[in-house]
Amino acid sequence: MRVVIAGGHGQVALRLERLLAARGEQVAGIIRRPEQASDLQAAGAAPVVCDLESATVGEVAGHLKAASAVVFAAGAGAGSQFARKDTVDRGAAVMFADAAEAAGVRRFVMVSAMRVDQEPSEGTDPGFAAYLRAKGAADADIRARSGLDWTILRPGRLTNDPGTGLVTLAESTGRADVTRDDVAAVLVGLLHTPGTARRTLELIGGSTPVNEAVAQAAG
């Protein structure tokens, strides 16, 4: 399997790259800044410098040729301006999906967030509300595509605690924490489980081993 990850320098993405590389699989990470390349190489991934906010669909599709699957794990970040919530969290995700279709890559895994299918509640921080709306719009776009075998993963609040290998993965889990280690492990499982295609799944820490949880989600 060759996997290309958008947002390849993110905390979850770097963990995912290490896991995939340890399995002997080919993995590439799309990054915006050349100085991030060494971190990807240390994780076992090939760095691809490409700014998803300015690149064309054709340019990105060129990077996805011969890929078995792609993962969108990019994000504007907590301190970004409102406009970048739209250009990255929505716009780049939609463009990346366009590029996957253009390159003939059907398997598409989206790292999303909880509560993005509903309007943010009154009093929500404006920046976070913009983020939720952008992620919701991106998810809706991807779920409407018949040309992708998509899976949307919505983790709970992310922590840097060591992974436990035990999770709850379901259409609805309720809100709770989950480690970035465990998110990455679940992403590996989803990539290798075609039966999870066209599923939107929430993920939190739990009591079910990752492989078992993914198998259950596949039905």
Side-chain angles (χ1 to χ4, degrees):
M1 177 176 279
R2 178 176 186 262
V3 181
V4 180
I5 303 169
H9 195 256
Q11 294 188 65
V12 169
L14 286 168
R15 287 167 167 83
L16 175 59
E17 288 156 5
R18 294 187 192 100
L19 292 177
L20 291 171
R23 293 171 61 101
E25 304 195 28
Q26 296 181 35
V27 57
I30 296 177
I31 54 177
R32 188 164 57 93
R33 298 198 296 272
E35 60 268 25
Q36 297 172 334
S38 60
D39 290 336
L40 270 71
Q41 291 167 337
V48 177
V49 180
C50 177
D51 187 344
L52 296 179
E53 289 182 90
S54 60
T56 67
V57 170
E59 289 170 346
V60 177
H63 296 308
L64 304 186
K65 287 181 178 178
S68 309
V70 297
V71 179
F72 187 85
S80 58
Q81 297 178 344
F82 282 17
R84 296 197 69 231
K85 310 292 187 189
D86 184 69
T87 58
V88 178
D89 293 295
R90 183 201 61 79
V94 170
M95 188 274 292
F96 196 62
D98 289 341
E101 290 186 325
V105 183
R106 290 197 60 92
R107 191 70 174 109
F108 188 103
V109 177
M110 173 78 165
V111 181
S112 185
M114 290 187 173
R115 297 188 299 147
V116 302
D117 286 335
Q118 59 197 50
E119 180 62 17
S121 58
E122 186 176 352
T124 300
D125 173 79
F128 189 58
Y131 164 78
L132 293 174
R133 293 188 184 103
K135 294 296 284 185
D139 286 5
D141 179 278
I142 290 164
R143 286 188 293 191
R145 294 173 185 254
S146 60
L148 296 177
D149 295 326
W150 52 263
T151 301
I152 295 173
L153 181 65
R154 295 174 169 175
R157 191 180 74 88
L158 300 173
T159 77
N160 286 326
D161 295 333
T164 66
L166 301 173
V167 299
T168 297
L169 179 68
E171 290 184 2
S172 179
T173 62
R175 295 172 61 189
D177 293 351
V178 63
T179 72
R180 289 180 170 88
D181 286 348
D182 288 332
V183 174
V186 167
L187 287 170
V188 172
L190 294 175
L191 286 167
H192 292 84
T193 309
T196 59
R198 309 195 77 78
R199 303 284 180 89
T200 300
L201 301 167
E202 295 184 350
L203 173 66
I204 58 174
S207 58
T208 305
V210 166
N211 289 343
E212 184 179 335
V214 171
Q216 291 174 356

